[in-house]
Structure formats: C-alpha cells, structure tokens
C-alpha cells in the first residue's frame, strides 16, 4: 500500500552548517513543540552535543504539516551528524529515507563533508534538495555557494532553496520543496513484514528499543519479532511513533518510521542494520541493507579498578546498541590488567565514546594511544592482522608490513595551500591533485597512511588554517611500509600499552620526543626512574626522572666529615634497594603523551 501523504527525509551537511537549527525551525513551524518545550538544538539531547555544538547521534522525529492547499502530511525527519567520524550514522539514516536536504553555509560554501554526504545520498538513490543556509550573515555569499552546489549536484539554480534557519527566513520554501520533490514511500514489494532497524536505544526499565522504518507489511503489539542476522524471537510489547517523546500507536504500516518495544534485555541479541520481520507474517529475505562498517582506529580501554571490568563490559554493550559503529573484544595488558580492545571510526569517535562511558556510565578508565590495523606477511608464509602494537611479531620473522592508506580530501581557501602541502608531506602524504572550486576556494587530494592522520592531524590542520580548512577521507587500500615497533621501557620494564608502530625514518625522533614527554608526566619517586625507547633490543633514546632526595645531613652541625659520608652512603644503599623493588605508577597523562609527541 502506498501512502502519498508521508515524507521521510533527513538533513545532511558539513559540521556547523546549521542542521540542528533548521530542525528546530521545522519543529516550531509545524507546532510539534510548544514555546515552553522549545530550546536551541532541541534534538541534540546529549550534554556532550550541546557543549561541543555538534550532532553525534542521528535523531528521528515525526511532524504533522498542513500544506497551504489544505492537504495534511506526515513528515518523518532525521537530523544527522556532520563530522567525518560519524558517516556511518548518516548512511543508516539515509537508508530509512526517500529524500535529503543538503545544507550549505552561505558564508563557507561547499566543504569536504558536504561532498561526501552528497555522494552518500546519491548512492542511496535519494532525492536531494539543495539548501543554502545563513543568508542573513554579514559575510554571506549565496551566489558563490549556489555556484558550488550547481557544480556538485548538476542542479538548476531555481531548485536551490535559500534560507536563514536562525531567523526563520523562507522556512516555507523548505516545506514546499519536501512536499513537491521528496517522493512518498514506495509501494510494498511483498505483503510479508520487513522493517529496517536503523538505530536503537536501551531503556533501563523496558530493555532494548529498536527504531525501525517499515518497508513492507505492518508491525503491531502482540506479534513476535524475528530477525535475519540473529536467531532470537521476542514478543512486541508496544509500537509507536517518535515525537519528542515516544508516543504509542495501534500499528506501524509500510512507509512509517517508529519504535518497537520488544521483550529483550540482552543487548547483544540485536543488530542495528538488520531486518526485522514477524513470526505471524514472516518474510523470506532481508532488505538490501548497508554493510556493517569496519573500525579504522583501535585503542585499549582498561578500568582503573580491576573490579569494574564486568561493569565496563555491560556499559560497552549498552553503548554499542546506541552506537553501532563501536566494536570491542576482551584484551589483557601486562601493565594495565584486564580490559577491552575497542575499534572506532576515527579519533573524534574514540574521544566521544570515552567521554560517554565516563559521563553516562560513571566509568573510571585508562585509555591507551590509538593505532590502526596492520596486515603482516610472515617469512613462513602466514598472514596476520595486528590491531595492537604489542602483538607485532619480532622483526626477524616479518617479510612485509602493510598499512592502510586513505585518500584525503581537503577543501581550503587558496592562501593556505602551502601550509597544507607542508603538513601533509611531513605526514608521509603523496600529493595527487588540486581543483579550484571558485577563485578563492581549492580542493586538494593527497594519499596518506591512516596511521599518520589519527595523531592530532585534524587539530593541526584546523589551527594552521585558522579553522577554514575542512577534511574528509576514504580508505583506499593497504600498501607496504618500512615500519617498526617502538617499545617504551620504564625502570627497565616494557610497558606494552605505550608501544607504537612508527616509520623507520621517524623512529629516533619519535622515541626521543616520547621519552621527553613521559619525563614531564611521570611523578618523581624516592628512586631514579629510567625512561627508554627501544627498537627490539636496541635502546635509541633515554631520559631520567631524578629521585626525590631527602637532605639526610641536615641534622649534622659541624663534626667530622666521615659522619656525613656515612649517612650519604646509607641513603645511597637504600635508594639502590628501593630501585630494585619499587614500582612506578603511571598516570593517565602518560598514556595520552603518545598523542602529543607532535606538539614539540
């Protein structure tokens, strides 16, 4: 059954181009929220999103809109993130929609993530409505932004809607474009029930709550939910639509977006991206969905108190339900004990997950420095994947190490080309091409190792270009590299959590910088602490944290020098014994020092 009065669409854009503000205006204009409920960035309900001014999770919400001709429509809107690390959130949202509003800032024009999101929407076969926002800004240049959008999408100038979401200028134009250009949901291919699970959340009272887009058939209370990727069966306790709060309804028909409360407390029994069907009206095949994304950056999470290990596992499972791009597996470190090796989409994703664990689940953790996954060809013909530097085999057994490469796309004002070239080449980047989008705006392409990008690259790019450059990347392939494992020894003991993989040419420089950094972070003890960086058995640099020294001769007033010598010798012997049995406690800053070695 086709429902011509439903429109499912999302808002996609580069970070900070006004997606959440436009969503606010649409909710206000349709009367979905009262004046009392209204606040800035109303869909960004996480403290972290508000503090940082970014969208981390996609947020679905339903609006009822009465057109000027009197027709009543149901709009299902999904506000999506804009940062490159949350592209997976965007791809899942696109799979649940028929149309997308592609938002561009009139002052900044098309940026890297605008291009990336536009291609995602084209691949998903969505109707794209180009929108230029912030036309009321003093430095706005809507004509230039329109030129760039026409170049990107091949659209006509009349199709572009120019608005100011903050001031509420021409919001009616958005509604007209959605009604006229976004197609209604397609007709059901089959009578059998099929719904795409595009997101989910965990309610401590009701358990797992999947968010679904129904493509075929219907869902209603009392049915038994089944899945294609997992074998479980669960009774449907409630179905409903997503207003600002969850609102129960009798049933969800084809074309609708809503939530399903199922009798499920075990978070690992459901997969975001899976197809839900029902026992009473079971479908034969799953919806053609998106693939589970592969994590690109890996890091270890270890509880500070080993008794919190089980709590950390439960917290990660609940968070994974809400953030499908997160992956984790148990891991043990000689320095840090039991913990988890986690996979993330990028450095910001890693930072957000860590912060959410601390805030939402009250976890106290130590996070190891991030690294990427390497493929290693062994001399005996085996091929292994190394996601943890401490697992890297000894160099004598290795034939070739393959590292992942990315194609980096940087869009920047023309005056920063030289600075960006220097930055990328210092990170072992290979220049590919330059394209002038306008007279003053340039698109640069580089091939770079992913391992060079995860250490502060994005922050450096922003600071050197005063925040004007935007960055996006895609994984290209694996290429051989002259790489080595750099170990850190503290008081003669290798700390596996501080090991990193470095390029042969940079080994000495990075080892030396890391030792200096660690010297600042490690607290002085009653004994001398040696900090060394080593490649295999060869020590390449050393720093020493001097011992705290008590003045044992302070109480000697005059007298023979031999009295002072005797006290000093006794102290020396005590320090030596302490050095052999003393243990060094490493603060969290020591593990983060690896991230900061480029700052000096």
């Amino acid at each position: 059954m086709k429902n011509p009065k439903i429109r499912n669409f999302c808002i996609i854009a580069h970070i900070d181009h006004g997606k959440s503000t436009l969503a606010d205006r649409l909710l206000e204009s349709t009367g979905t929220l009262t004046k009392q409920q209204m606040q800035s960035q109303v869909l960004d309900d996480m403290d972290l999103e508000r503090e940082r001014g970014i969208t981390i999770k996609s947020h679905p919400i339903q609006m009822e809109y009465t057109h000027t001709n009197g027709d009543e429509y149901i709009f299902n809107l999904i506000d999506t993130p804009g940062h490159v690390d949350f592209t997976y959130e965007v791809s899942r949202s696109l799979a649940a929609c028929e149309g997308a509003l592609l938002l561009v800032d009139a002052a900044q024009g098309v940026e890297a993530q605008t291009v990336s999101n536009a291609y995602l929407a084209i691949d998903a076969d969505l109707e794209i409505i180009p929108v230029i926002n912030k036309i009321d800004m003093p430095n706005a240049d809507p004509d230039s932004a329109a030129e760039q959008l026409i170049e990107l999408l091949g659209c006509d100038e009349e199709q572009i809607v120019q608005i100011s979401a903050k001031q509420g200028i021409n919001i009616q134009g958005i509604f007209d474009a959605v009604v006229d250009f976004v197609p209604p949901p397609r007709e059901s291919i089959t009578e059998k029930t099929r719904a795409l699970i595009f997101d989910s959340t965990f309610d401590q009272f009701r358990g797992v709550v999947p968010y679904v887009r129904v493509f075929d058939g219907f869902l209603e209370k009392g049915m038994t939910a089944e899945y294609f990727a997992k074998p479980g069966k669960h009774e449907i306790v409630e179905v409903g639509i997503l207003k600002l709060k969850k609102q129960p309804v009798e049933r969800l028909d084809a074309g609708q977006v809503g939530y399903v409360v199922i009798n499920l407390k075990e978070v690992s029994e459901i997969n975001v991206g899976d197809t839900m069907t029902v026992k009473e009206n079971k479908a034969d095949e799953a919806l053609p969905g998106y693939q589970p994304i592969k994590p690109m950056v890996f890091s270890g999470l270890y509880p500070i108190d080993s008794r919190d290990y089980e709590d950390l596992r439960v917290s990660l499972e609940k968070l994974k339900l809400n953030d499908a791009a997160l992956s984790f597996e148990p891991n043990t470190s000689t320095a840090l004990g039991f913990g988890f090796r986690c996979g993330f989409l990028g450095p910001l994703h890693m930072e957000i997950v860590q912060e959410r664990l601390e805030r939402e689940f009250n976890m106290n953790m130590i996070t190891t420095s991030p690294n990427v996954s390497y493929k290693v060809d062994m001399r005996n013909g085996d091929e292994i994947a190394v996601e943890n530097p401490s697992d890297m085999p000894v160099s004598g057994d290795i034939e070739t190490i393959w590292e992942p490469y990315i194609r980096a796309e940087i869009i920047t004002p023309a005056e920063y080309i030289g600075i960006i070239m220097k930055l990328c080449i210092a990170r072992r980047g290979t220049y590919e091409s330059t394209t002038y989008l306008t007279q003053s705006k340039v698109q640069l392409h580089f091939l770079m190792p992913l391992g060079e990008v995860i250490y502060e690259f994005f922050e450096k790019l922003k600071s050197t270009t005063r925040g004007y450059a935007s960055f996006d990347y895609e994984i290209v392939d694996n290429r051989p590299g002259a790489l080595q494992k750099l170990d850190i020894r503290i008081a003669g003991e290798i700390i596996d959590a501080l090991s990193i993989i470095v390029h042969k040419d940079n080994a000495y420089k990075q080892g030396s910088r890391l030792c200096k950094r660690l010297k600042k972070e490690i607290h002085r003890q009653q004994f001398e602490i040696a900090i060394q960086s080593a490649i295999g058995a060869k020590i390449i640099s050393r720093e020493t944290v001097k011992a705290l020294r008590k003045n044992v001769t302070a109480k000697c007033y005059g007298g023979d020098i031999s009295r002072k010598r005797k006290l000093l010798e006794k102290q020396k012997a005590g320090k030596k014994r302490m050095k052999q049995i003393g243990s060094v406690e490493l603060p969290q800053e020591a593990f983060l020092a690896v991230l900061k070695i480029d700052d000096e």
Side-chain angles (χ1 to χ4, degrees):
M1 183 184 79
K2 190 167 183 174
N3 192 333
K5 301 300 182 196
I6 292 179
R7 297 289 185 273
N8 299 317
F9 66 98
C10 59
I11 307 175
I12 54 176
H14 188 81
I15 194 166
D16 202 28
H17 278 210
K19 296 178 296 300
S20 300
T21 310
L22 175 57
D24 290 352
R25 291 297 81 73
L26 295 176
L27 292 171
E28 207 174 43
S29 305
T30 53
T32 306
L33 299 182
T34 62
K35 286 281 183 196
Q36 288 78 17
Q37 290 174 307
M38 206 61 218
Q39 56 173 324
S40 174
Q41 289 174 260
V42 71
L43 292 183
D44 291 348
D45 51 9
M46 238 184 273
D47 290 343
L48 261 177
E49 293 180 312
R50 296 188 159 280
E51 280 170 31
R52 290 172 175 246
I54 59 173
T55 302
I56 293 166
K57 285 290 303 164
S58 51
H59 298 271
I61 192 163
Q62 188 176 105
M63 303 177 282
E64 283 155 15
Y65 169 67
T66 306
H67 198 272
T68 44
N69 62 14
D71 289 345
E72 292 190 355
Y73 289 87
I74 292 173
F75 285 176
N76 288 310
L77 159 71
I78 303 177
D79 178 24
T80 64
H83 194 280
V84 59
D85 280 11
F86 303 110
T87 304
Y88 190 49
E89 284 287 324
V90 180
S91 69
R92 295 208 317 271
S93 305
L94 293 173
C97 297
E98 278 80 35
L101 301 176
L102 181 66
L103 207 61
V104 169
D105 186 325
Q108 298 179 49
V110 167
E111 298 205 52
Q113 203 57 26
T114 319
V115 177
S116 178
N117 285 336
Y119 289 152
L120 278 175
I122 291 164
D123 289 345
D125 203 21
L126 264 58
E127 187 64 45
I128 300 173
I129 298 169
V131 181
I132 295 174
N133 189 20
K134 305 188 187 181
I135 56 169
D136 59 317
M137 297 275 281
N139 59 342
D141 187 358
D143 294 339
S144 172
E147 222 176 280
Q148 293 169 42
L149 271 170
I150 292 164
E151 177 72 26
L152 175 64
L153 300 174
C155 58
D156 296 328
E157 199 166 345
E158 303 78 60
Q159 291 175 273
I160 299 171
V161 185
Q162 297 197 13
I163 63 160
S164 167
K166 195 168 188 177
Q167 302 298 331
I169 299 167
N170 196 24
I171 298 300
Q172 185 57 45
I174 296 282
F175 288 119
D176 293 341
V178 169
V179 169
D180 295 342
F181 297 113
V182 175
R186 65 159 173 77
E187 287 189 29
S188 294
I189 296 170
T190 168
E191 291 303 309
K192 307 289 186 189
T193 299
R194 295 194 299 177
L196 177 71
I197 302 172
F198 67 88
D199 205 351
S200 56
T201 182
F202 186 84
D203 185 309
Q204 62 180 15
F205 303 111
R206 313 185 81 179
V208 178
V209 182
Y211 292 172
V212 296
R213 156 71 200 274
V214 184
F215 279 90
D216 305 305
F218 63 91
L219 291 168
E220 64 183 15
K221 181 180 172 179
M223 288 180 153
T224 305
E226 294 187 9
Y227 321 94
F228 283 86
K230 298 269 176 153
K233 295 181 182 181
H234 306 100
E235 184 193 352
I236 296 176
V237 182
E238 181 181 300
V239 297
I241 55 173
L242 294 151
K243 294 283 181 122
L244 198 58
K245 299 229 173 358
K246 297 181 178 71
Q247 193 173 305
V249 293
E250 285 295 313
R251 70 186 234 170
L252 289 175
D253 285 306
Q256 288 190 301
V257 173
Y259 70 90
V260 182
V261 178
I262 49 179
N263 244 335
L264 174 62
K265 294 286 186 282
E266 191 54 55
V267 292
S268 57
E269 285 188 36
I270 193 167
N271 269 4
V272 172
D274 197 0
T275 301
M276 180 187 283
T277 184
V278 289
K279 185 182 173 185
E280 294 78 3
N281 191 18
K282 192 171 179 180
D284 302 320
E285 58 180 37
L287 289 162
Y290 37 77
Q291 298 300 314
I293 201 153
K294 290 192 181 86
M296 292 301 147
V297 174
F298 297 86
S299 175
L301 294 181
Y302 299 88
I304 287 173
D305 186 340
S306 57
R307 288 171 297 187
D308 292 340
Y309 173 78
E310 197 55 33
D311 291 344
L312 180 58
R313 185 186 64 77
V314 172
S315 303
L316 281 166
E317 283 186 347
K318 287 179 181 174
L319 193 58
K320 181 175 169 57
L321 194 71
N322 194 241
D323 181 355
L326 171 67
S327 65
F328 63 92
E329 58 183 36
N331 191 43
T332 313
S333 159
T334 50
L336 301 172
F338 292 103
F340 293 92
R341 190 84 189 148
C342 301
F344 309 94
L345 295 184
L348 179 68
H349 185 214
M350 183 184 97
E351 205 180 310
I352 295 296
V353 166
Q354 185 188 343
E355 217 161 318
R356 286 185 71 185
L357 283 167
E358 285 171 0
R359 289 187 186 204
E360 294 172 31
F361 302 99
N362 297 318
M363 297 307 305
N364 285 325
M365 305 163 304
I366 281 180
T367 311
T368 63
S369 60
N371 63 279
V372 298
S373 178
Y374 298 94
K375 285 193 172 66
V376 180
D377 291 341
M378 307 293 285
R379 291 195 190 278
N380 63 7
D382 292 349
E383 185 186 281
I384 59 170
V386 175
E387 291 170 1
N388 192 342
S390 59
D391 296 338
M392 184 65 79
V394 294
S395 53
D397 297 341
I398 297 172
E399 184 69 44
T400 317
I401 300 176
W402 300 78
E403 58 180 334
Y405 265 70
I406 59 165
R407 176 168 284 108
E409 175 193 359
I410 299 168
I411 295 181
T412 175
E415 66 260 33
Y416 299 116
I417 292 177
I419 297 169
I420 291 170
M421 288 272 193
K422 193 176 170 185
L423 177 64
C424 292
I425 289 164
R427 302 277 182 141
R428 297 195 286 132
T430 308
Y431 167 74
E432 277 200 324
S433 65
T434 303
T435 309
Y436 275 82
L437 301 174
T438 64
Q439 281 186 330
S440 59
K441 201 161 203 180
V442 181
Q443 181 185 45
L444 299 167
H445 282 112
F446 288 89
L447 271 179
M448 298 174 72
L450 178 60
E452 297 284 346
V453 173
I454 60 174
Y455 293 114
E456 301 267 300
F457 176 79
F458 189 68
E459 290 78 359
K460 268 236 163 97
L461 179 70
K462 283 289 180 191
S463 61
T464 53
T465 60
R466 298 182 192 171
Y468 284 112
S470 62
F471 172 69
D472 187 35
Y473 66 85
E474 58 173 346
I475 301 293
V476 183
D477 54 16
N478 288 317
R479 302 186 178 199
L483 302 169
Q484 296 174 323
K485 180 172 76 159
L486 181 74
D487 286 320
I488 298 298
R489 296 168 186 254
I490 294 179
E493 194 181 322
I494 291 177
I495 308 297
D496 57 350
L498 287 174
S499 297
I500 54 173
I501 310 272
V502 295
H503 193 267
K504 195 164 71 176
D505 297 345
N506 300 335
Y508 172 73
K509 189 168 70 177
Q510 285 190 269
S512 175
R513 280 179 176 177
L514 187 47
C515 286
K516 283 178 183 154
R517 196 87 195 177
L518 286 168
K519 184 182 176 182
K520 291 179 189 172
E521 304 296 352
I522 294 172
H523 308 305
R524 290 173 74 186
Q525 311 282 335
Q526 293 284 337
F527 53 93
E528 197 176 80
I529 304 168
I531 304 167
Q532 300 164 313
S533 63
I535 289 177
K538 186 184 176 188
I539 306 293
I540 58 171
S541 65
R542 171 184 169 130
E543 293 289 331
T544 306
V545 179
K546 295 293 182 190
L548 286 168
R549 186 165 179 269
K550 183 180 172 186
N551 187 0
V552 290
T553 61
K555 60 179 181 272
C556 294
Y557 295 101
D560 192 56
I561 188 70
S562 59
R563 280 186 68 205
K564 290 187 180 180
R565 283 217 184 104
K566 193 176 174 185
L567 285 168
L568 289 168
E569 286 299 325
K570 191 177 175 185
Q571 184 188 38
K572 192 176 174 185
K575 296 274 185 201
K576 192 174 180 182
R577 192 166 62 253
M578 205 184 283
K579 190 174 180 179
Q580 289 166 352
I581 62 167
S583 62
V584 182
E585 197 169 293
L586 295 177
Q588 164 71 359
E589 290 75 26
F591 297 98
L592 298 177
V594 182
L595 297 175
K596 305 282 190 279
I597 51 178
D598 281 340
D599 290 1
E600 296 167 13

